[in-house]
């Protein structure tokens, strides 16, 4: 009976997805249909409703709307141009300097806004016209912007890592945050290496020299924006406040900063709050629906069956991790990051811990892997936004993106097979 129910769950879920039903509704609908087969109607409906409410009854989840609101305020607060100016200084005078500025800008802005889409739109929207004016190929410029946009999902503060912490059973958010730095920076550096090679080959221009006084002016102008990360992450790591309290502080700081830059307008508040509510509602509905799915999967034994199936193929940890990565890469091409984390963490985390992998290490590997899906067709959100901002068709981006994909996969393999890449910083901070 449980095997039949498990097959029914998968069939209904993929059928609903194929029919174009939103993924949260697909998850909840497939789970409820399966529960109706397993239990009487009243018990199934009552249990499903109870699980959905219980799944959202978590103090840690309050961090998500606060971080989203902070990012929305930052997006509307004139932060992007200051970070771009700072990125120009950091990226130096290399061939294709504007492309490197785009990458560094995405890393900085993405970590503050917590969104790959926001980074691709805000930074790409400023950099694309500048690069076009300097004679850059539009497809190359768009590819650089798209390839580096997800770095901010790994570099904290990251709402994605908070979701993983919840679904993994309470993995330390502070440890996940600090563990994301090196992989996120490696991703950015990998895209810069590819951008450099192509820029050198195409003979793209080098940025003009700037004086020390100009450097100091840009640095001082960017300090208030950069302080947000130091205050929030530093406070969480030092144990001064929790991730949720840190998120609330981020909102307050963002408001103060927007007022300091004189970009805050009272008339924009309803729009910013509505955007925050919409984004939060989507994530919360996904989390609520996933709690029913977790219950049904546990009852039908799907995670154990998949785990046994993978372990029956091989007991070699290298091959097991490779197999998990391949599956997650495929999943990421047609499923958004958050639902993929909610669905596949309960399936793959037991396998990872069974071969001795730390939950923090696995979380970073999984999130990095699924972030690649945000820049790959057919449903990559950052891919479509970057294409729109750069005014380049998707089909024109496939070839320019291939070397960037290769570099990012190398970073994924480094993170997967060298635990120290993720775990050295948490270890240094005693997390």
């Amino acid at each position: 009976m449980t095997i039949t129910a498990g097959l029914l769950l998968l069939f209904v879920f993929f059928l609903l997805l194929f029919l174009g039903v939103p993924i949260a509704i697909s998850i909840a609908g497939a789970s409820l249909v399966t529960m109706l087969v397993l239990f009487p109607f009243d018990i199934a409906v009552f249990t499903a409703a109870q699980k959905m409410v219980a799944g959202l009854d978590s103090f840690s989840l309050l961090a998500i709307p606060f971080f989203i609101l902070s990012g929305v305020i930052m997006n509307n607060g004139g932060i992007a141009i200051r970070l771009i100016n700072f990125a120009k200084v950091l990226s130096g005078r290399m061939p294709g300097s504007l492309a490197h500025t785009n990458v560094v800008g995405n890393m900085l802005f993405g970590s503050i806004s917590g969104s790959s889409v926001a980074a691709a739109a805000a930074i790409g929207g400023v950099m694309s016209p500048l690069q076009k004016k300097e004679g850059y190929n539009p497809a190359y410029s768009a590819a650089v912007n798209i390839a580096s946009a997800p770095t901010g999902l790994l570099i904290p503060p990251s709402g994605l890592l908070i979701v993983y912490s919840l679904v993994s059973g309470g993995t330390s958010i502070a440890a996940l945050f600090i563990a994301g730095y090196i992989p996120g920076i490696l991703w950015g550096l990998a895209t810069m290496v590819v951008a450099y090679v192509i820029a050198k080959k195409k003979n793209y221009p080098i940025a003009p020299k700037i004086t020390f006084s100009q450097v100091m002016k840009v640095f001082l102008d960017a300090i208030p924006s950069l302080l947000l990360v130091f205050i929030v992450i530093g406070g969480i790591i030092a144990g001064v406040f929790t991730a949720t309290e840190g998120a609330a502080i981020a909102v307050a700081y963002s408001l103060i900063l927007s007022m300091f830059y004189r970009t805050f307008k009272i008339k924009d508040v309803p729009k910013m709050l509505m955007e925050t509510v919409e984004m939060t509602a989507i994530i919360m509905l996904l989390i609520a629906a996933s709690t029913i799915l977790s219950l049904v999967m546990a009852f039908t034994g799907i995670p154990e069956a998949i785990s046994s199936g993978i372990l029956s193929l091989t007991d070699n940890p290298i091959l097991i991790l490779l197999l998990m990565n391949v599956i997650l890469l495929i999943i990421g091409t047609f499923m958004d990051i958050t639902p993929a984390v909610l669905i596949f963490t309960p399936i793959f985390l037991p396998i990872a811990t069974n071969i001795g992998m730390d939950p923090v290490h696995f979380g970073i590997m999984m999130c990095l892997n699924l972030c690649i899906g945000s820049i790959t067709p057919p449903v990559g959100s950052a891919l479509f936004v970057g294409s729109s901002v750069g005014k380049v068709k998707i089909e024109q981006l496939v070839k320019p993106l291939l070397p960037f994909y290769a570099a990012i996969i190398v970073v994924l393999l480094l993170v997967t097979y060298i635990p120290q890449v993720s775990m050295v910083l948490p270890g240094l901070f005693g997390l």
Side-chain angles (χ1 to χ4, degrees), residues 48 51-56 286-296:
K51 274 289 179 184
M52 289 184 75
V53 173
L56 297 177
L286 281 167
I287 293 173
S290 73
T291 57
I292 318 175
L293 181 64
S294 297
L295 173 68
V296 176

Side-chain angles (χ1 to χ4, degrees), residues 94-430:
M94 296 185 288
S97 297
L98 290 179
H100 301 302
T101 299
N102 196 328
V103 175
V104 177
N106 275 338
M107 293 168 70
L108 294 171
F109 190 78
S111 66
I112 291 174
S113 67
S115 169
S116 60
V117 171
I123 304 299
V126 175
M127 295 305 303
S128 291
L130 294 177
Q131 292 180 73
K132 185 177 181 180
K133 187 177 178 181
E134 292 288 336
Y136 287 67
N137 184 313
Y140 166 78
S141 302
V144 172
N145 183 42
I146 292 165
S148 58
T151 52
L153 294 176
L154 294 170
I155 301 173
S158 169
L160 180 63
L161 294 177
I162 294 173
V163 172
Y164 169 79
S165 170
L166 175 75
V167 75
S168 65
T171 304
S172 169
I173 294 176
L176 286 167
F177 274 7
I178 199 71
Y181 272 110
I182 294 178
I185 292 171
L186 281 177
W187 182 325
L189 291 176
T191 57
M192 290 179 75
V193 168
V194 175
Y196 174 85
V197 172
I198 297 174
K200 189 81 173 175
K201 184 178 178 182
K202 300 286 186 179
N203 200 29
Y204 286 138
I206 298 172
K209 289 183 179 180
I210 56 176
T211 64
F212 180 75
S213 61
Q214 289 175 316
V215 170
M216 290 306 299
K217 184 180 182 300
V218 168
F219 178 68
L220 291 173
D221 200 30
I223 280 179
S225 303
L226 298 173
L227 274 177
L228 172 67
V229 176
F230 287 101
I231 292 171
V232 174
I233 303 304
I236 294 172
I237 293 170
V240 177
F241 42 73
T242 65
T244 302
E245 292 163 346
I249 290 170
V251 172
Y253 187 87
S254 301
L255 280 171
I256 294 170
L257 192 60
S258 295
M259 292 176 183
F260 173 76
Y261 286 148
R262 297 181 180 179
T263 54
F264 181 77
K265 298 176 183 176
I266 297 295
K267 67 176 184 179
D268 292 335
V269 171
K271 178 185 175 183
M272 290 190 290
L273 290 176
M274 181 59 70
E275 187 176 343
T276 302
V277 168
E278 289 175 353
M279 294 173 68
T280 301
I282 293 170
I283 294 173
M284 293 303 176
L285 181 58
L286 281 167
I287 293 173
S290 73
T291 57
I292 318 175
L293 181 64
S294 297
L295 173 68
V296 176
M297 287 198 303
F299 191 83
T300 56
I302 290 176
E304 291 81 1
I306 294 176
S307 177
S308 299
I310 291 177
L311 294 174
S312 67
L313 294 175
T314 177
D315 58 358
N316 187 324
I318 295 175
L319 294 178
I320 291 173
L321 289 173
L322 181 62
L323 185 58
M324 283 197 290
N325 271 316
V326 170
I327 294 172
L328 289 171
L329 282 171
I330 295 171
I331 294 298
T333 61
F334 67 86
M335 186 177 289
D336 285 335
I337 303 172
T338 301
V341 169
L342 291 167
I343 294 171
F344 291 95
T345 298
I347 293 175
F348 288 137
L349 181 57
I351 303 174
T353 54
N354 189 53
I355 60 174
M357 195 176 194
D358 188 280
V360 173
H361 179 200
F362 173 76
I364 298 299
M365 181 199 84
M366 183 182 197
C367 291
L368 191 157
N369 190 309
L370 294 172
C371 281
I372 298 173
S374 69
I375 58 173
T376 56
V379 296
S381 53
L383 172 66
F384 287 102
V385 170
S387 169
S388 175
V389 167
K391 296 180 173 57
V392 181
K393 294 180 180 179
I394 296 292
E395 53 267 28
Q396 294 176 290
L397 286 171
V398 175
K399 186 176 179 180
L401 277 170
L402 288 177
F404 291 101
Y405 289 147
I408 296 166
I409 293 296
V410 170
V411 173
L412 173 62
L413 293 175
L414 290 174
V415 171
T416 300
Y417 293 113
I418 305 177
Q420 290 79 7
V421 173
S422 302
M423 301 304 297
V424 64
L425 289 182
L428 288 174
F429 285 92

Side-chain angles (χ1 to χ4, degrees), residues 23-40:
I23 190 161
I25 306 300
S26 299
I27 293 171
S31 302
L32 185 57
V33 168
T34 307
M35 289 184 71
L36 289 171
V37 172
L38 296 171
F39 307 107

